[in-house]
Amino acid sequence: MSDEATTTAVAPHGATGLPYAAEQLRTERLLLRPLNTGDLEDVHAYQKLKDVVRYLYWEVHDHDESAEHLRKRIAMNRLAENGDGIVFAVELADPDGGVGRVIGDISLFLKNATWGKFEMGWVFHPAVHGRGYATEAAQRVLELCFDTLGAHRVFAQLDARNDASARLCERLGMRQEALLRETEIFKGEWSDTAVYAILEQEFRAGS
């Protein structure tokens, strides 16, 4: 095999943009920003829905549970050490110029700084499904990962039955790398886990 065939498009490197403190990220229609206490009602509006939590590790939240969950996630606002996470509120602008509403959130975790490895996750209100908001927001977070944080690999793990998230991964250019069969007991039944990922060179090629 020739040297040319074995050479990758991107030289090995770790994350280069750390530490990173959460800041506002904009897209054409959305504002991604750190969560704050004023987001409680919007967040609770989707955390209380059975369809939303079907493939999440927690059950529907009552108002108090959403408040406690929000408090913990507000504190997730900086990436520096392995295991750190950030949760971005995804805010949809008010067409009348008022305060926007939070329609979902995207989580980003630093899994291994030396290898430039990050994990993404997302939750969106079903009322906004089918409008491209999740794709737009997640694509912006991928840009953050590769252009600012120096990621080499970004991946997502999801219940293999979660077709909506699988389609989102595919729209983002992620490939399904693995299907872990009956890897855990999830809400009382065996669950398969699908792993999707995108590498830096794949992201660059698709940009």
Side-chain angles (χ1 to χ4, degrees):
M1 186 178 293
S2 69
D3 290 341
E4 182 179 357
T6 59
T7 301
T8 58
V10 178
H13 65 84
T16 56
L18 302 174
Y20 171 80
E23 57 187 1
Q24 293 187 356
L25 308 173
R26 293 191 178 273
T27 71
E28 182 180 353
R29 300 178 294 174
L30 304 169
L31 171 65
L32 281 65
R33 56 166 176 75
L35 287 161
N36 62 59
T37 56
D39 297 328
L40 177 56
E41 299 307 322
D42 286 347
V43 168
H44 179 57
Y46 55 86
Q47 290 187 349
K48 67 182 181 181
L49 301 177
K50 288 185 179 180
D51 288 348
V52 169
V53 304
R54 173 67 182 91
Y55 300 116
L56 301 178
Y57 283 103
W58 36 275
E59 300 291 349
V60 293
H61 282 168
D62 62 25
H63 198 272
D64 289 342
E65 289 169 335
S66 284
E68 176 62 15
H69 194 234
L70 178 62
R71 183 189 66 79
K72 293 177 180 178
R73 286 153 68 89
I74 288 173
M76 297 169 60
N77 57 20
R78 188 171 186 269
L79 301 176
E81 306 292 337
N82 293 346
D84 287 351
I86 288 175
V87 184
F88 290 100
V90 180
E91 181 180 311
L92 178 63
D94 181 352
D96 298 324
V99 177
R101 64 187 177 99
V102 175
I103 58 172
D105 55 74
I106 294 187
S107 304
L108 180 65
F109 296 93
L110 174 61
K111 305 303 287 187
N112 191 302
T114 302
W115 299 337
K117 187 163 64 174
F118 295 81
E119 180 177 7
M120 287 177 61
W122 44 76
V123 183
F124 283 85
H125 198 300
V128 300
H129 286 182
R131 304 181 192 179
Y133 295 135
T135 304
E136 187 174 324
Q139 180 66 30
R140 182 65 185 89
V141 174
L142 281 182
E143 292 170 3
L144 169 71
C145 290
F146 292 114
D147 293 340
T148 301
L149 301 179
H152 169 65
R153 179 175 184 269
V154 181
F155 71 98
Q157 300 186 86
L158 48 133
D159 190 297
R161 297 165 294 183
N162 190 343
D163 293 334
S165 281
R167 290 193 298 270
L168 173 55
C169 288
E170 291 165 359
R171 289 195 298 272
L172 294 171
M174 291 180 158
R175 300 182 185 184
Q176 183 177 331
E177 295 185 335
L179 177 63
L180 310 178
R181 296 186 303 155
E182 296 189 0
T183 187
E184 61 185 1
I185 297 175
F186 178 75
K187 297 187 176 180
E189 58 185 344
W190 286 112
S191 172
D192 298 346
T193 298
V195 180
Y196 286 80
I198 184 170
L199 302 178
E200 181 182 2
Q201 56 262 39
E202 295 168 336
F203 176 81
R204 301 290 177 212
S207 297

